[in-house]
């Protein structure tokens, strides 16, 4: 028999409340196993004890370089109990990216799954300059470790199961003001910024999301196919758990497995990209292939799929546009199911919190704009980040004097308190669903001895936006496109690897008061022709 769950203001309180109210109810499903609230609370307390034995305490950073496996939520709640901060690392990231994140965050423990998708995570760590891993006290290995490369034998390796064999940590350092998660996002330089959120903001936001999306209904089952290393997947999971409802964990998106899991667990809502919706509907014939799904909250990741909401509606799947970003968390805003279909297909919506607000500003005059007039979106609300970890200057620049966040997004407000997202103000690329600063790719290309300069732009392709690089050769060097693509693939995530690398004698420029300015619009036109 369940009891009423009190409202929690931190992650440990959430877990304790759910375990007390419904100890035998499922918190999540994975690989045929069911993890109840009582089991999750016990495992998280044991993992916290194990991490404490490794020296992790309040304010320390623990990097999770993991897919959506049980270790993710267990370690998330364990870190919350310790007052430690989870640093999310995409499993697609490789040596250059991991080295930067681990080094600048000062992570003392890193957890990885050495053989997930046959990726040699330990081998990637071995490629990293030891100085970048100087803060690491231990590497927690989830699953079969195999043989460790000699280059990382100096690092203490602890099997995840050994953490779970530790004595449970009874005390808690959790609290609403404690930092709990760092998500990486594109910055104004080659290095990504570290978006820090506190436990209270995470809890307050996800309680609002749970109510806004009807997750409090008894039949609610959420679906976790989005990577929890990003705010989209993280907030879907946390909002389900804020409502005390179960999540189906899929390690990574695979359409055939997703179809099987949906048929088995009958989730009531799905969230993802428009491209994921297309693949899902292509995989199952019929007029209403997913009858349990009441809505599909989506992000416009592929400009070529603008008709996807209409095509989905014809198959009985209702798609609604959303808005989110690392700095304000995902699911910040949404449209309603009873909206005009043309409105529901747009990015944006009305904020889920009554305390949130959106406005737009003319980037040139600085004047606030009336509804319907495009400008830079500025957002206010309880879900906003604490700031950019370790970067006070970038944090100060991100906020207005009255604490609105400058999003860098183009949009316009509506008369009823909503807003429409139109695109990025600058040149940040969205590749495979992730925002990527082209300067990061450019900087890596320029580490190759044949490259004197590089410019990267995005080009729309049937498979989605792809990066295209233009490079100027070093004096006397020859540009080998295949070699440069392989250079990127070795050092960066695959989705950041340019589809084409093209040599040019010089970049097109136009004169300006501050010197020649590269014509990125011209480069985008050239890139579009290359991918035709």
């Amino acid at each position: 028999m369940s009891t009423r769950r009190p409202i929690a203001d931190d992650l440990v309180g959430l877990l304790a409340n759910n375990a007390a109210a419904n100890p035998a109810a499922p918190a999540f499903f994975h690989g045929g196993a069911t993890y109840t609230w009582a089991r999750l609370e016990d495992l998280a307390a044991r993992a916290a004890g194990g991490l404490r034995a490794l020296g992790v305490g309040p304010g320390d950073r623990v990097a999770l370089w993991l897919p959506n496996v049980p270790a993710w939520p267990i370690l998330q709640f364990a870190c919350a109990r310790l007052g430690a901060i989870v640093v999310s690392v995409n499993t697609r990231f490789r040596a250059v990216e991991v080295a930067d994140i681990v080094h600048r965050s000062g992570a003392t423990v890193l957890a990885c799954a050495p053989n997930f998708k046959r990726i040699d995570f330990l081998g990637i760590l071995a490629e990293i300059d030891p100085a970048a891993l100087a803060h690491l006290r231990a590497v927690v290995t989830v699953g079969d470790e195999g043989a460790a490369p000699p280059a990382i034998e100096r690092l203490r390796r602890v099997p995840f199961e050994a953490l779970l064999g530790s004595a449970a940590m009874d005390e808690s350092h959790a609290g609403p003001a404690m930092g709990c998660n760092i998500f990486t996002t594109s910055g104004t330089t080659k290095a990504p910024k570290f978006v820090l959120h506190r436990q209270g903001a995470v809890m307050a936001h996800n309680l609002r999301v749970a109510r806004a999306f009807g997750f409090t209904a008894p039949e609610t089952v959420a679906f976790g196919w989005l990577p929890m290393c990003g705010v989209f997947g993280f907030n879907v999971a946390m909002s389900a758990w804020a409502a005390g409802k179960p999540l189906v964990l899929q390690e990574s998106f695979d359409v055939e497995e997703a179809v099987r899991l949906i048929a088995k667990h009958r989730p009531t809502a799905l969230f993802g990209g428009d491209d994921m919706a297309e693949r899902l509907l292509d995989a199952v014939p019929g007029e209403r292939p997913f009858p349990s799904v009441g809505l599909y909250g989506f992000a416009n990741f592929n400009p070529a799929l603008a008709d996807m909401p209409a095509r989905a509606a014809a198959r009985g799947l209702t798609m609604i546009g959303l808005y989110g970003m690392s700095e304000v968390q995902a699911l910040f805003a949404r449209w309603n199911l009873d909206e005009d279909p043309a409105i529901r297909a747009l990015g944006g919506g009305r904020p889920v919190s009554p305390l949130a607000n959106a406005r737009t500003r003319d980037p040139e005059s600085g004047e606030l704009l009336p509804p319907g007039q495009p400008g830079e979106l500025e957002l206010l609300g309880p879900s906003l980040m604490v700031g950019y970890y370790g970067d006070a200057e970038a944090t100060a620049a991100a906020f207005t004097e009255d604490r609105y966040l400058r999003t860098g997004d183009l949009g316009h407000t509506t008369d009823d308190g909503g807003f429409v997202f139109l695109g990025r103000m600058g040149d940040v690329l969205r590749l495979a669903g992730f925002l990527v600063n082209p300067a990061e790719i450019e900087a890596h290309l320029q580490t190759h001895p044949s490259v004197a300069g590089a410019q990267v732009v995005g080009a729309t392709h049937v498979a989605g936006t792809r990066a295209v690089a233009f490079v100027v050769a070093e004096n006397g060097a020859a540009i080998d496109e295949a070699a440069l693509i392989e250079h990127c693939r070795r050092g960066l995530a695959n989705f950041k690897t340019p589809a084409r690398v093209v040599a040019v004698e010089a970049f097109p420029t136009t004169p300006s008061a501050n010197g020649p300015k590269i014509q990125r619009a011209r480069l985008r036109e050239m890139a579009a022709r290359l991918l035709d």
Side-chain angles (χ1 to χ4, degrees), residues 275-298:
D275 49 350
M276 295 170 72
E278 180 182 51
R279 292 182 61 187
L280 195 65
L281 288 169
D282 285 348
V284 183
E287 293 185 1
R288 195 178 180 198
F290 307 107
S292 70
V293 179
L295 65 88
Y296 186 106
F298 80 103

Side-chain angles (χ1 to χ4, degrees), residues 12 58 64 67 115 140 192 196 213 223 230 250 253 266 275 283 309 347 354 377 444 446 497 530 532:
V12 172
L64 301 189
N115 290 309
V140 174
L196 174 64
F213 285 90
F223 200 83
Q250 185 179 20
F253 177 64
R266 299 182 59 79
D275 49 350
L377 282 169
H444 186 62
Q446 288 169 192
T497 300
L530 288 169
D532 279 346

